[in-house]
Every structure is written in C-alpha cells, then in structure tokens.
Amino acid sequence: MIEITRDVEKPNGIALSPDQRTLYIADHNNGGNRLSPSDPEPKRGAMRIYAFPLNDDGLVKGPRKILWISQGERQRRHAG
C-alpha cells in the first residue's frame, strides 16, 4: 500500500477510468452525523472529486487535480 495524499478528509469511494490511466477519489466530508434536530449544525468539509494520473505500473505519476467542488448551493467545476 502506498499513501498518495493526505488531503482527502473523508474518502467515500474510488474508481478507475476505463483506460485505467486515472484514479478518482471521492471526498465527502458532510461534517459527521447529526443525531438530533436540536444538535448544532456540523461543520462541513471537503466535497470534492480528485483525479490522479497513473503510470503503466498503476502508480500515481503526477499531481492530483480537483474536478468538482460542491459547498451547499454553490458548485464549481475545475478543468485541468
């Protein structure tokens, strides 16, 4: 096992591109569980999809890219 990032707060899924050249990691930090309506609103964190390019051996070969950020009503797409 090789650590590729410490930036992901609450990983919630991984996927490979069809050509197996990109590893995608979903980060879904919704702030935890709010067990009762009277509990304070949780502090939300990252809601992103990261993409990591892979080399022929399946190892990460370059810096990550953030593809999607969602913060409640505000959503943004990142290219490149």
Side-chain angles (χ1 to χ4, degrees):
M1 184 178 298
I2 299 171
E3 181 178 3
I4 59 171
T5 185
R6 291 185 180 198
D7 295 335
V8 179
E9 297 173 16
K10 218 173 173 183
N12 189 27
I14 61 171
L16 281 174
S17 62
D19 66 0
Q20 298 185 6
R21 307 290 266 165
T22 306
L23 172 69
Y24 298 99
I25 300 177
D27 194 2
H28 186 258
N29 186 355
N30 63 357
N33 297 324
R34 192 171 172 192
L35 301 176
S36 169
S38 62
D39 288 346
E41 183 70 25
K43 182 179 180 200
R44 301 190 190 291
M47 304 287 268
R48 298 179 177 142
I49 298 173
Y50 297 95
F52 295 88
L54 302 176
N55 66 17
D56 292 335
D57 296 325
L59 300 174
V60 173
K61 70 173 181 178
R64 75 171 194 291
K65 296 178 181 182
I66 301 172
L67 300 179
W68 183 262
I69 298 174
S70 172
Q71 296 291 336
E73 298 292 320
R74 191 179 79 202
Q75 298 180 350
R76 235 174 24 227
R77 293 178 196 224
H78 284 251

